[in-house]
Amino acid sequence: MDWKFWLTAGEPRPRYVLLVAIGVVLMMAISYPVWQPGGRGMAAFVAVAAVIISHVSAKSIMRR
């Protein structure tokens, strides 16, 4: 497994940033019913999870 590929930002960076930003906004919107009643701690956990999921999704989209 190529860890460097998964742990670095994608190239070209503007496309990677756009994909990650769209993914995070979408994931936070979808998961609103989960983290809204959970408070700050749950919101922070969901935000970190959303960034990780968006990063993996953007890298797999850019790999094609």
Side-chain angles (χ1 to χ4, degrees):
M1 178 175 266
D2 186 11
W3 287 104
K4 185 177 181 205
F5 173 78
W6 290 108
L7 297 176
T8 58
E11 295 292 339
R13 291 195 195 279
R15 183 176 176 203
Y16 168 77
V17 170
L18 180 65
L19 287 171
V20 170
I22 290 172
V24 169
V25 169
L26 187 64
M27 292 295 295
M28 292 301 286
I30 290 171
S31 64
Y32 181 77
V34 173
W35 62 262
Q36 191 273 334
R40 292 182 197 160
M42 184 61 83
F45 174 75
V46 171
V48 169
V51 169
I52 292 169
I53 292 169
S54 297
H55 168 74
V56 170
S57 298
K59 293 293 275 195
S60 64
I61 289 170
M62 293 183 71
R63 178 176 253 183
R64 293 183 203 157

